[in-house]
């Protein structure tokens, strides 16, 4: 088991990539702290993990993020791994982006992982080191029409990753990002075609040289690698997971 004895905090653990990551990490021996806005969704994830601790919080609010990280770390007596996965997707052409929608993206995709990093780094440093994994997006490397504003927030999360890697290597902390293209999760249900119809994952498959969109379990496997000691010399990098989408 690759994470035996480790404590891992996973944000957005109530669904999609977060749920798959929490389940895999628990299977690999980690004690998992599950954080997200909806308690019932966290409880559902917890059923598949032994010894899970759930804490409902809106991580876009600094005080709530601090409380969530502190409560999780205190519950388990420390913290080794943080997966900054919680986030939202909003689709809108640049000139149609209004202030409330932009503020929502900034709150959930930039403030949220930033507050979690600020709260978590001292706990990781206290253990002599740890790992932070940010789930960003391939759109943060190359945007698509309608996703410019979302992509900007994910690019910001990329820079957060590099900054943590630079400033906290001295504390033994590694920070890396995973940048997936479309993954089959509830967030994907929000993607629309230019004429407003729902994007079906079967139709999107043609954009991918490997012939399909990704799965949450595949992203979880990548997170497991980066969280484990197998990746002990890897920091400040981005793992693009996109079925070949960007080279097409
Ligand atoms: N699926 C894709 O195609 C894809 C591609 C690239 C990147 N990503 C990124 O992957 C991450 C996970 O997405 P997913 O596809 O697994 O979507 P998802 O199933 O919608 O999961 C996102 C989770 O984040 C939580 N969340 C959002 N804002 C939060 C906040 N302020 N505080 C606490 N929890 C919050 C949600 O909790 P509640 O529901 O309880 O609010 C939800 O459980 C996101 O950062 C997303 O941008 C996804």
């Amino acid at each position: 088991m690759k994470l035996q004895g480790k404590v891992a905090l996973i944000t957005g653990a109530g669904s999609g990539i977060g749920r798959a990551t929490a389940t895999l990490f628990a299977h690999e021996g980690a004690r998992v702290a599950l954080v997200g806005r909806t308690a019932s969704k966290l409880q559902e994830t917890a059923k598949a993990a032994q010894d899970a601790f759930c804490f409902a919080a809106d991580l876009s609010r600094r005080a709530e993020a601090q409380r969530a990280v502190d409560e999780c770390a205190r519950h388990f007596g420390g913290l080794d791994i943080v997966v900054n996965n919680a986030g939202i997707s909003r689709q809108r052409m640049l000139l149609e982006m209004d202030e409330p929608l932009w503020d929502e993206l900034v709150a959930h995709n930039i403030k949220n992982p930033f507050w979690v990093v600020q709260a978590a780094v001292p706990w990781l440093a206290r253990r002599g080191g740890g790992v932070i994994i940010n789930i960003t997006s391939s759109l943060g490397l190359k945007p698509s029409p309608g996703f410019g504003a979302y992509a900007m927030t994910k690019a910001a999360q990329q820079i957060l990753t590099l900054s943590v890697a630079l400033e906290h290597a001295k504390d033994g902390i590694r920070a890396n990002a995973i940048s997936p293209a479309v993954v089959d999760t509830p967030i994907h249900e929000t993607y629309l075609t230019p004429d407003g119809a729902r994007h079906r994952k079967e139709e999107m498959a043609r954009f991918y040289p490997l012939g399909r969109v990704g799965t949450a379990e595949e992203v979880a496997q990548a997170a497991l690698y980066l969280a484990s000691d197998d990746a002990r010399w890897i920091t400040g990098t981005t793992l693009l997971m996109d079925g070949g989408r960007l080279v097409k």
Side-chain angles (χ1 to χ4, degrees):
M1 290 204 282
K2 289 187 180 293
L3 301 181
Q4 192 67 50
K6 302 288 186 190
V7 175
L9 186 158
I10 296 114
T11 74
S15 60
I17 294 168
R19 174 172 288 172
T21 302
T23 305
L24 180 63
F25 280 21
H27 187 72
E28 289 290 334
R31 288 174 293 163
V32 290
L34 313 177
V35 182
R37 284 180 297 191
T38 314
S40 58
K41 289 165 65 176
L42 300 176
Q43 296 296 347
E44 195 56 39
T45 302
K47 285 182 189 166
Q50 233 184 5
D51 200 15
F53 177 71
C54 301
F55 194 92
D58 180 348
L59 298 166
S60 67
R61 298 169 186 273
R62 187 180 195 179
E64 277 192 52
Q66 183 73 53
R67 196 152 44 88
V69 172
D70 287 348
E71 290 293 326
C72 292
R74 278 194 204 109
H75 178 84
F76 288 119
L79 197 56
D80 302 292
I81 300 162
V82 175
V83 183
N84 247 330
N85 162 76
I88 61 168
S89 176
R90 297 288 181 265
Q91 185 178 357
R92 193 72 66 86
M93 297 304 275
L94 288 177
L95 300 193
E96 287 153 20
M97 178 58 63
D98 59 28
E99 194 171 355
L101 207 57
W102 173 238
D103 285 346
E104 200 186 357
L105 276 169
V106 169
H108 296 295
N109 290 359
I110 300 181
K111 287 186 176 182
N112 149 8
F114 185 49
W115 300 144
V116 171
V117 161
Q118 282 197 329
V121 161
W123 283 103
L124 300 177
R126 219 168 289 163
R127 291 273 244 222
V131 182
I132 294 178
I133 298 166
N134 287 321
I135 308 298
T136 60
S137 167
S138 63
L139 293 172
L141 304 171
K142 183 175 183 292
S144 298
F147 288 96
Y150 170 78
M152 286 167 71
T153 66
K154 289 298 181 175
Q157 207 182 346
Q158 294 282 142
I159 297 299
L160 173 64
T161 310
L162 304 189
S163 302
V164 175
L166 273 175
E167 291 188 19
H168 293 287
K170 65 175 172 31
D171 299 313
I173 296 172
R174 296 188 293 108
N176 293 294
I178 299 174
S179 302
V182 171
V183 177
D184 185 13
T185 72
I187 222 175
H188 166 261
E189 302 293 321
T190 62
Y191 301 162
L192 301 176
T193 62
D195 48 10
R198 180 147 293 160
H199 250 314
R200 292 163 54 82
K201 62 175 191 259
E202 294 78 11
E203 289 154 13
M204 299 189 86
R206 68 193 159 91
F207 297 118
Y208 293 79
L210 289 182
R212 61 173 176 82
V213 303
T215 68
E217 289 71 24
E218 286 164 339
V219 180
Q221 286 289 350
L224 172 62
Y225 170 66
L226 290 172
S228 75
D229 284 345
D230 292 345
R232 58 190 170 274
W233 205 51
I234 299 180
T235 194
T237 197
T238 296
L239 178 57
L240 174 65
M241 293 188 76
D242 74 339
R245 174 91 169 92
L246 288 201
V247 294
K248 195 169 176 183

